[in-house]
Amino acid sequence: MDICISDNLKLLRYKNGYTLEAIAEIISVSRQSVSKWESGDSVPDITNCVKLASLYKISLDELVNRPLRRVIDNDFPSQGDRICGVLEISDDNTIRIPNS
């Protein structure tokens, strides 16, 4: 089982426009804790996972196990001549733009 909570936390925070400080304040932890969770240096305990899943309106399973970076999200807007969205990076480090 590939636990992808750090990638998911980072993606969800960016997608929802939160800063590290905002997340820390909302769930009553330090900014450093949130940063460590996103970098993969540590993982949130179950109580904080429940708070985070509730904040982002996703299940605990999605937060911990579902690689959200592989999901197409139509909420990412186009910005001028750039397209903002989710990419897939394969095991051989090639970048693939998923079909919409």
Side-chain angles (χ1 to χ4, degrees), residues 9-10 12 14 16 28 30-32 45 50-53 56-57 66 73 84 90 95:
L9 288 173
K10 192 181 310 182
L12 289 164
Y14 286 142
N16 288 280
S28 301
S30 70
R31 184 199 62 76
Q32 291 81 3
D45 64 22
V50 169
K51 290 178 184 179
L52 290 161
Y56 294 124
K57 297 176 178 49
R66 185 177 178 198
D73 189 338
C84 299
S90 67
I95 296 174

Side-chain angles (χ1 to χ4, degrees), residues 14-15 75-85:
Y14 286 142
K15 178 182 178 264
D75 291 338
F76 285 102
S78 172
Q79 296 186 0
D81 59 349
R82 295 174 295 217
I83 297 174
C84 299

Side-chain angles (χ1 to χ4, degrees), residues 4-45:
C4 51
I5 191 169
S6 61
D7 289 342
N8 288 348
L9 288 173
K10 192 181 310 182
L11 177 68
L12 289 164
R13 182 172 62 80
Y14 286 142
K15 178 182 178 264
N16 288 280
Y18 289 116
T19 63
L20 289 171
E21 292 81 5
I23 296 299
E25 185 175 326
I26 291 167
I27 64 169
S28 301
V29 297
S30 70
R31 184 199 62 76
Q32 291 81 3
S33 291
V34 178
S35 177
K36 286 181 180 182
W37 299 339
E38 289 187 6
S39 68
D41 290 341
S42 68
V43 294
D45 64 22

